[in-house]
Amino acid sequence: MLGFAQAADLEASLERKTTSQYLHAHERKSLLRFLTCGSVDDGKSTLIGRLLYDTQRLMEDQLAALAVDSRRHGTTGDDLDFALLVDGLASEREQGITIDVAYRFFATEQRKFIVADTPGHEQYTRNMATGASNADLAVILVDARQGILTQTRRHSYIVSLLGIRHVVLAINKIDLVGYSQAVFDEIEAAYRSFAEPLGFVSLQAIPLSARYGDNILSRSANLPWYQGPTLIEHLETVEVDSDRRAAPFRMPVQWVNRPNLDFRGFAGTIVAGVVRPGDRVAVARSGVTTLVKRIVTQDGDLSEAGAGEAVTLTLEDEIDASRGDVLAAAAERPEVSDQFAAHVLWMHDDPLIPGRPYVIKLATSVVGASVTDIKHRLDINNFAKLATKTLEKNEVGFINLMTQAPLAFDPYSQVHETGAFIIIDRMTNHTVGAGMIDFSLRRASNIHWQALDVDMNARAIAKGQRPVVLWFTGLSGAGKSTIANLVEKRLHANGKHTYLLDGDNVRHGLNRDLGFTDADRVENIRRVAEAAKLMVDAGLIALASFISPFQAERRMARDLFADGQFIEIFVDTPLEVAEGRDPKGLYQRARNGLIQNFTGIGSPYERPEAPHITITPDLSAEEAAELIVSYLDRGSYLGNVTG
Amino acid sequence: MTVEPQASTTLPTVQRRPAPSSPSLTHLQRLEAESIHIMREVAAELRNPVMLYSVGKDSAVMLHLAMKAFHPSPLPFPLLHIDTTWKFREMIRFRDETVARLGLNLLVRRNEAGLAEGITPFTHDSSIYTQIMKTEALKSALSSFGFDAAFGGARRDEEKSRAKERVFSLRSDSHGWDPKNQRPELWNLYNGRLKPGESVRVFPLSNWTETDIWQYIMRERIPLVSLYFAAKRPVVERDGQWIMVDDDRLPLRPGEVPEMRSVRFRTLGCYPLTAATESTAATVPEVLQEMLASRTSERSGRLIDHDEAASMEKKKREGYF
């Protein structure tokens, strides 16, 4: 124990009182999270560096390092290059660009600030959305010499899409246009007319120079005609609380807290509303209601907790709830659905393709999902709606989404935390998209399958076989159809009921509207898989012979079937051999550039990781057919089905 | 020797939570809730998490938040301390006291091969020493226990490359960090899905600043190692910085004579690599007051960060926390 306290004489205690008052005031500060965005050379990093410098968040050693960096990599001559402060990665300093979101912190007497500095390059739009997702306000920079650019519009749209309602239009480099009021007025007017449909609640235009500090912290003598607040004054006072505590209570359950048999608590962060012991709450998905018993924290039970607080609730009744459930005000519950209309920002090099299986995370729920339709893509420069079959990286689309299980949700515009989701690729686990739910397409409770008395089992018994789909995958010319034909003949000869689906009979009818783009290939496989599923339901042994080059689609097909109903057969013929056969002359045409996206030439073939049967190149077609039939026999697909 | 911060005796009563129906939370309340949310996500989604415990002030805050996050349950994961054997003796004492006081499960790992080879801060360049005794020991511990998530107390305000790191930061099966291939992280939706061998480093204090940490320590009365508070300690001046003579293993250079000075530490690590600052701040409010007037950043006392440009980014790519 250090005995400094007893050294306190009158003077020291007076000094300490002042300090403690200061500290107390500091502790009561509110927090404003904002992001800066704008075009490449508008000076975002310089502005943040200036904010840190003017609010004295820069320390001597950091300034010394900055001086060295400015001489080595800087673009401002002998002046400090504030941009170098926020370009944290080596490759950024070398290239003089910002490639990733950086978070910066500073505080004034009134508020603490967290700033997301987001890149202006078009290809990094996803990072801007990342920064915007947690921001209360956006500072949109415009170079006074350039006015409003495509990227200004793009960034404003993303800001609005992510639900930010407060915007500062920072008209920077005003020194380079002679501190001209006319330039400022013209840009502000143009922006206000452009931003009118974006629904911003507050929009403050400020003329400033980040490099020289005009109108950042203190009012600039160079801009006597400007009567509004400086940037810091505005950030310190702007009211952004949309009073989330006034909304109906919502708490997604994160973790069930069960230290012993006597305690069962539901841990989570309240995302909307207020809760008190005795309140009636519902488990949104099941509809079961009960009363809140206690609000438990380590600092003691609370009589009330509201939006933004992380708590643990215990309930009066032993009801079934777990991670992924939402506890909600019983009188005003979230919707429950498995089909949604949503806006999506795509963030990955591989495009979004309808029908492809993804995983989504919404609040604390993680479920399988697929996009059933892209209604349109948005041109975020003029808000035009464009038809499209896929969404490329950095594109925004309005989609229909179907999930494998019903989810409790609110429209994003009402509660961000129960309306926002991320899309995850099932194979790579990358976060590939960000979505915001607009509305439910139908109530999940209305969905039910027609219960039929004559079911698959009944049909299978009548046919004396176990229905199954044999899925042949491999390169064009690998021998899939030849082998599938032989297998079907042998099964037929044994009195089995079969049907062969292949490109020739499907492409001319069911799928004749589809081409060979990646999106069409996915849809082709989806329809074939669904057709095969109907045949299996009809009690048939279905043989599907398709190149089906992508793992994701084969997985999607496989997921439609119960265990044991789907047998993946990989006809593993090397490209040279298949190309040497070239029964239809397709490889030759692809090599000559006459066919685009030909598997093995212009489009990849992804080898199956764990096929049930692999036909190696050393087997003849007859041997391959024999192998498959004996596999079916061993698996008792060909015997009588019991019960 | 645990120092109980004396904030309570000199400060007005701190209001612990907003008055009913108060519209907004203070910045400390928001930071606390965010950190707790992150910890619960990890406990719910990851198979085998662990919390890195470095004994410093950030670890103290992180541990305090974890106790809150899972109360009344015990922590659903163990703590891991990488012991280079060059930590201040006071840190080890405090560590063991804390573990006993809170009933925690602590794992301690050292790089025994490195010790056997005689690698010390004096025989090797500090970046090599850190790589072998800290980074390698950490990687080996994470791999041998099969931890798929490791909490660290790093903050984005500490250093430039940290400012760009995610809260859930993916590591390859060889523990490497690829700063250009980070997963986008939106809202409070963290993607903890991993392929076999991959792991995540999780930084629940990402959005805290050094000031926030101290204010929270004061508000919550979190016990700290006494080294953070000024006291007369034996130090030598070396390359313009005060190095504490924590034990007789510190080889004195010609002319160096340990002297007693009132010093404290803003950051703690291996004692030969951690510079002290002259100070008389012996309580949390005094430390805060001193910090608010300070003109140097806390990492200036960390000798390992000065070695080369982009040194932290490089170390992190290699698996350093």
Side-chain angles (χ1 to χ4, degrees):
Chain A
M1 205 49 107
L2 297 159
F4 229 83
Q6 67 264 36
D9 58 18
L10 181 64
E11 192 181 320
S13 80
L14 280 175
E15 187 185 13
R16 189 176 293 145
K17 185 147 183 275
T18 319
T19 307
S20 65
Q21 280 167 345
Y22 175 84
L23 295 174
H24 181 63
H26 194 92
E27 199 200 272
R28 303 273 303 156
K29 282 177 190 182
S30 62
L31 173 64
L32 181 77
R33 296 185 68 141
F34 68 94
L35 85 158
T36 54
C37 43
S39 195
V40 178
D41 295 317
D42 291 341
K44 293 175 308 300
S45 297
T46 306
L47 176 68
I48 292 179
R50 169 61 69 177
L51 286 170
L52 299 179
Y53 184 77
D54 282 4
T55 57
Q56 302 193 325
R57 274 295 303 178
L58 290 179
M59 302 300 181
E60 279 167 8
D61 56 315
Q62 292 172 326
L63 282 171
L66 176 62
V68 172
D69 281 354
S70 296
R71 282 193 294 277
R72 193 183 300 164
H73 305 295
T75 58
T76 52
D78 289 337
D79 295 339
L80 294 178
D81 186 349
F82 292 118
L84 295 174
L85 279 174
V86 288
D87 293 339
L89 302 175
S91 48
E92 293 176 318
R93 285 195 296 278
E94 285 153 15
Q95 296 170 41
I97 56 162
T98 308
I99 60 172
D100 208 337
V101 192
Y103 294 93
R104 293 287 152 189
F105 308 84
F106 67 95
T108 66
E109 296 290 318
Q110 312 297 323
R111 265 188 175 156
K112 172 191 161 118
F113 299 93
I114 300 180
V115 194
D117 180 24
T118 61
H121 298 264
E122 189 169 333
Q123 64 267 40
Y124 293 111
T125 300
R126 67 173 205 182
N127 290 326
M128 221 216 83
T130 302
S133 72
N134 285 316
D136 310 309
L137 175 146
V139 175
I140 295 175
L141 272 113
V142 173
D143 183 332
R145 298 168 302 174
Q146 308 278 338
I148 291 157
L149 301 178
T150 300
Q151 297 233 17
T152 316
R153 286 191 278 268
R154 179 187 300 272
H155 292 159
S156 300
Y157 178 75
I158 293 168
V159 158
S160 135
L161 181 71
L162 281 135
I164 295 179
R165 292 290 166 258
H166 302 272
V167 166
V168 173
L169 181 69
I171 300 177
N172 191 26
K173 307 192 185 182
I174 197 79
D175 53 303
L176 297 180
V177 295
Y179 301 98
S180 160
Q181 180 174 10
V183 171
F184 173 82
D185 288 346
E186 187 184 329
I187 294 173
E188 180 182 4
Y191 189 81
R192 282 193 186 276
S193 104
F194 150 78
E196 210 267 322
L198 296 180
F200 298 135
V201 170
S202 77
L203 171 59
Q204 176 70 49
I206 304 175
L208 52 86
S209 166
R211 186 167 171 195
Y212 297 109
D214 296 276
N215 275 353
I216 303 293
L217 184 63
S218 50
R219 201 157 286 280
S220 167
N222 297 317
L223 297 156
W225 47 265
Y226 173 74
Q227 302 302 316
T230 66
L231 180 60
I232 290 283
E233 282 169 1
H234 183 68
L235 294 176
E236 274 186 329
T237 53
V238 61
E239 193 48 65
V240 296
D241 274 322
S242 56
D243 209 2
R244 296 190 303 158
R245 291 171 70 100
F249 169 69
R250 301 280 186 267
M251 189 189 90
V253 175
Q254 272 189 292
W255 189 75
V256 179
N257 193 335
R258 289 211 86 167
N260 54 55
L261 291 175
D262 300 326
F263 187 94
R264 185 155 175 264
F266 299 94
T269 303
I270 300 172
V271 299
V274 170
V275 68
R276 298 176 191 85
D279 283 358
R280 182 157 290 276
V281 292
V283 180
R285 265 190 303 207
S286 67
V288 175
T289 72
T290 183
L291 303 178
V292 174
K293 190 173 177 183
R294 295 171 55 199
I295 305 171
V296 180
T297 77
Q298 196 182 38
D299 304 319
D301 281 12
L302 303 180
S303 57
E304 179 186 284
E309 294 187 71
V311 294
T312 299
L313 302 183
T314 63
L315 304 174
E316 288 290 352
D317 304 300
E318 280 274 325
I319 59 166
D320 188 23
S322 57
R323 180 173 170 82
D325 278 314
V326 176
L327 296 177
E332 294 174 282
R333 303 183 196 182
E335 292 184 59
V336 176
S337 182
D338 64 355
Q339 294 205 27
F340 310 96
H343 279 85
V344 164
L345 169 66
W346 200 246
M347 303 191 288
H348 201 262
D349 290 331
D350 297 335
L352 180 158
I353 297 180
R356 188 166 267 194
Y358 297 103
V359 169
I360 69 161
K361 182 172 185 184
L362 185 156
T364 57
S365 292
V366 178
V367 296
S370 64
V371 173
T372 53
D373 196 10
I374 303 179
K375 308 302 284 183
H376 56 255
R377 175 170 84 74
L378 277 149
D379 182 330
I380 54 187
N381 302 318
N382 56 17
F383 312 138
K385 295 171 182 173
L386 310 172
T388 185
K389 287 190 167 183
T390 63
L391 273 190
E392 302 290 332
K393 191 174 183 179
N394 291 318
E395 290 183 345
V396 174
F398 185 57
I399 60 152
N400 288 349
L401 181 81
M402 183 167 73
T403 56
Q404 280 178 348
L407 298 174
F409 76 97
D410 293 287
Y412 183 77
S413 59
Q414 290 174 23
V415 185
H416 286 191
E417 290 87 346
T418 46
F421 59 92
I422 55 172
I423 306 176
I424 300 167
D425 185 276
R426 285 175 84 131
M427 301 292 170
T428 63
N429 292 325
H430 282 305
T431 302
V432 293
M436 289 139 283
I437 295 178
D438 289 87
F439 51 85
S440 159
L441 289 170
R442 60 176 183 190
R443 300 218 174 231
S445 50
N446 296 338
I447 304 167
H448 51 268
W449 288 101
Q450 193 73 37
L452 300 172
D453 293 326
V454 181
D455 63 4
M456 180 185 79
N457 215 26
R459 297 183 200 102
I461 290 167
K463 294 184 176 65
Q465 62 192 31
R466 238 176 100 193
V468 66
V469 59
L470 306 178
W471 191 279
F472 294 79
T473 174
L475 294 167
S476 175
K480 298 181 299 298
S481 293
T482 308
I483 297 167
N485 263 308
L486 284 171
V487 170
E488 188 179 28
K489 279 182 190 163
R490 294 199 37 183
L491 294 174
H492 185 74
N494 284 335
K496 301 302 160 200
H497 301 258
T498 60
Y499 190 81
L500 175 61
L501 288 158
D502 67 11
D504 289 338
N505 61 20
V506 171
R507 282 275 182 193
H508 292 127
L510 178 63
N511 290 355
R512 73 172 163 209
D513 56 326
L514 301 178
F516 289 89
T517 64
D518 283 358
D520 282 358
R521 282 167 181 266
V522 171
E523 177 60 14
N524 183 42
I525 296 306
R526 190 191 70 78
R527 291 186 198 173
V528 167
E530 290 286 359
K533 186 174 166 60
L534 293 175
M535 289 177 181
V536 167
D537 197 46
L540 298 176
I541 296 173
L543 300 90
S545 169
F546 293 88
I547 298 170
S548 45
F550 303 127
Q551 273 202 51
E553 282 69 55
R554 293 194 299 265
R555 172 72 179 268
M556 169 186 74
R558 192 172 186 153
D559 284 351
L560 286 175
F561 296 88
D563 280 351
Q565 280 183 1
F566 186 96
I567 297 172
E568 186 174 65
I569 300 165
F570 176 32
V571 184
D572 186 10
T573 305
L575 180 62
E576 317 82 75
V577 177
E579 188 168 355
R581 291 177 188 159
D582 206 5
K584 298 171 190 167
L586 296 174
Y587 282 99
Q588 190 58 47
R589 294 178 61 202
R591 291 286 183 199
N592 292 339
L594 299 173
I595 308 177
Q596 303 297 314
N597 300 323
F598 191 73
T599 301
I601 310 289
S603 180
Y605 178 83
E606 298 169 6
R607 295 171 63 87
E609 280 174 357
H612 297 89
I613 302 173
T614 300
I615 306 299
T616 49
D618 55 301
L619 294 179
S620 69
E622 288 74 16
E623 288 167 329
E626 174 59 33
L627 186 71
I628 294 163
V629 172
S630 65
Y631 181 96
L632 293 176
D633 201 27
R634 281 200 311 278
S636 62
Y637 290 94
L638 308 180
N640 284 322
V641 178
T642 53
Chain B
M1 255 219 351
T2 299
V3 172
E4 291 288 346
Q6 313 208 332
S8 57
T9 60
T10 52
L11 288 172
T13 309
V14 173
Q15 192 166 1
R16 301 294 289 262
R17 37 178 288 96
S21 296
S22 145
S24 59
L25 305 176
T26 68
H27 73 288
L28 285 181
Q29 287 172 318
R30 278 178 74 172
L31 291 170
E32 177 188 70
E34 179 183 67
S35 301
I36 288 174
H37 181 85
I38 291 163
M39 290 176 177
R40 288 170 171 173
E41 283 299 285
V42 172
E45 288 207 338
L46 278 297
R47 188 177 38 80
N48 189 16
V50 67
M51 177 168 281
L52 268 287
Y53 181 65
S54 73
V55 198
K57 65 184 191 307
D58 302 303
S59 275
V61 167
M62 182 164 66
L63 177 58
H64 184 82
L65 289 163
M67 298 301 289
K68 286 193 172 197
F70 303 105
H71 172 86
S73 287
L75 287 194
F77 39 75
L79 303 189
L80 173 64
H81 183 228
I82 301 300
D83 183 7
T84 59
T85 75
W86 290 95
K87 300 297 174 190
F88 291 89
R89 287 175 299 169
E90 181 56 33
M91 291 171 70
I92 303 301
R93 261 202 304 276
F94 179 86
R95 177 195 75 190
D96 295 340
E97 271 177 26
T98 303
V99 165
R101 178 167 53 87
L102 300 175
L104 304 170
N105 175 14
L106 173 76
L107 309 165
V108 178
R109 281 296 176 277
R110 300 171 172 181
N111 185 345
E112 299 295 346
L115 289 175
E117 283 175 47
I119 291 168
T120 70
F122 315 112
T123 53
H124 292 75
D125 176 81
S126 73
S127 65
I128 293 169
Y129 164 80
T130 302
Q131 170 68 20
I132 293 173
M133 298 309 288
K134 287 176 81 172
T135 308
E136 291 305 324
L138 172 67
K139 283 155 65 171
S140 138
L142 295 177
S143 297
S144 68
F145 287 105
F147 292 125
D148 57 351
F151 291 104
R155 308 186 319 266
R156 284 172 175 155
D157 82 323
E158 280 178 80
E159 197 272 336
K160 283 198 283 190
S161 70
R162 293 251 194 244
K164 307 218 165 176
E165 188 156 11
R166 304 291 185 255
V167 173
F168 272 46
S169 187
L170 188 67
R171 292 297 191 277
S172 68
D173 51 8
S174 56
H175 298 280
W177 180 56
D178 180 0
K180 284 189 178 171
N181 195 24
Q182 302 192 78
R183 293 173 178 172
E185 203 163 67
L186 294 99
W187 299 290
N188 59 357
L189 298 174
Y190 303 102
N191 176 357
R193 293 170 69 89
L194 304 173
K195 287 194 256 189
E198 289 178 342
S199 60
V200 278
R201 306 281 169 91
V202 180
F203 301 105
L205 305 182
S206 285
N207 288 324
W208 295 60
T209 63
E210 188 185 14
T211 314
D212 298 329
I213 292 286
W214 279 107
Q215 283 174 342
Y216 191 71
I217 286 166
M218 183 167 78
R219 188 183 92 154
E220 300 285 313
R221 296 166 209 176
I222 300 171
L224 288 187
V225 191
S226 63
L227 293 161
Y228 283 111
F229 304 99
K232 295 268 191 204
R233 296 189 172 94
V235 291
V236 292
E237 187 174 4
R238 180 172 291 185
D239 305 325
Q241 294 188 293
W242 294 109
I243 300 296
M244 179 170 161
V245 186
D246 193 50
D247 58 31
D248 54 15
R249 294 181 297 169
L250 183 74
L252 296 179
R253 294 178 186 168
E256 283 182 347
V257 180
E259 52 182 307
M260 296 300 285
R261 281 185 175 266
S262 179
V263 295
R264 68 178 191 90
F265 294 85
R266 289 180 72 179
T267 172
L268 292 176
C270 296
Y271 82 81
L273 295 173
T274 308
T277 53
E278 289 200 85
S279 167
T280 56
T283 63
V284 175
E286 286 167 356
V287 166
L288 259 167
Q289 184 183 18
E290 186 179 278
M291 205 181 59
L292 291 168
S294 166
R295 296 297 302 140
T296 57
S297 75
E298 66 188 308
R299 290 197 87 85
S300 66
R302 285 250 177 142
L303 307 188
I304 59 171
D305 286 356
H306 299 308
D307 290 343
E308 56 191 276
S311 67
M312 181 63 87
E313 183 181 347
K314 179 165 176 292
K315 284 202 291 287
K316 284 160 66 65
R317 285 171 182 270
E318 290 163 354
Y320 182 77
F321 235 82

